[in-house]
Amino acid sequence: MGPFKVGARDTWIGWTRDQRLSRLHLIANTTRFVILGEGRVPNMASRVLGLSLRRLSDDMSALHDYPVLVAESFLDPSRFSGTCYRASNWHAPGPTRGYSRRTGGSAQYTHTRQPKDVFVRELCKGAAAMLRGEDAPLERRVEWAAEPPPADDLRSLCSFLKTVKDFRKPHGRRFERRCYLTIALAAHCARDGCRPAALDGKDVRCASKQIEIERSMMVAAVDHGSGLVLGQTQIPE
């Protein structure tokens, strides 16, 4: 999937914010493509790039049940000229603004003062128009089983995630791995259009820090669709 926001690319497509959020999975980003000098033959770079692009959409459909409409890449103009991209009919809509996302959970960016050239390539005719069109282009194909498995064969999500091996080092662990996996699954469902309720625990105005013996915590459920609080209750420590 392509980067969340790229000004030159988004202007070239001409899509709205909502279209970008729902259709970003139809763009594939190539991170690195370099042909070393030793053993180089004429037109090898553009040939390999072209062969890869011809099968990219079909491979994505086979693995993830949705195609790729546009491929994109970024190039450092101080080091490379992008000849192989231009020879393969890639379009350069403009440079980035020179920001890089910081590592970590929060979406914070640092200005690197090194803008990259953006290259894009439509993998089918009119791909950009499809991405900005009113009708959703080629939605994901989801195949459902005829009948759900018997209840006795099912396990709870919590018990299943508990069996996932935790590869983290013991130092610095604060929550079980299944906690993070549950959050990731909820985010994935929300992205696909399922709007589950979110559960979150909080101190009430840091009241727990004012009580030496007993912590006072509250947990609340909020519906994403309406933004309403469905309910809240006090829980033990």
Side-chain angles (χ1 to χ4, degrees), residues 99-117:
Y99 284 88
S100 176
R101 184 167 181 170
R102 300 177 186 174
T103 58
S106 58
Q108 297 182 351
Y109 297 84
T110 302
H111 193 258
T112 63
R113 295 183 175 83
Q114 293 180 335
K116 302 292 192 304
D117 287 340

Side-chain angles (χ1 to χ4, degrees), residues 191-227:
R191 187 190 68 178
D192 287 350
C194 303
R195 297 293 182 180
L199 298 175
D200 191 19
K202 296 290 185 184
D203 286 357
V204 180
R205 294 186 178 275
C206 300
S208 64
K209 297 181 180 179
Q210 303 174 13
I211 303 175
E212 297 181 358
I213 301 176
E214 181 181 0
R215 294 175 61 87
S216 296
M217 301 289 293
M218 302 290 290
V219 64
V222 180
D223 177 68
H224 280 285
S226 63

Side-chain angles (χ1 to χ4, degrees), residues 116-199:
K116 302 292 192 304
D117 287 340
V118 181
F119 283 86
V120 292
R121 173 73 145 76
E122 291 184 309
L123 300 186
C124 64
K125 186 176 181 180
M130 295 171 65
L131 289 174
R132 65 174 176 265
E134 295 183 1
D135 297 330
L138 303 174
E139 292 293 344
R140 301 185 187 189
R141 300 188 303 273
V142 180
E143 296 181 359
W144 301 96
E147 294 183 359
D152 293 340
D153 295 341
L154 298 176
R155 288 184 293 170
S156 71
L157 179 62
C158 182
S159 62
F160 173 76
L161 294 179
K162 192 175 182 179
T163 64
V164 179
K165 184 178 180 180
D166 195 338
F167 59 84
R168 298 174 298 166
K169 296 180 179 179
H171 178 71
R173 278 191 204 174
R174 297 185 59 190
F175 302 99
E176 295 183 28
R177 181 172 174 77
R178 58 178 170 171
C179 174
Y180 295 107
L181 292 175
T182 301
I183 295 174
L185 287 171
H188 182 75
C189 290
R191 187 190 68 178
D192 287 350
C194 303
R195 297 293 182 180
L199 298 175

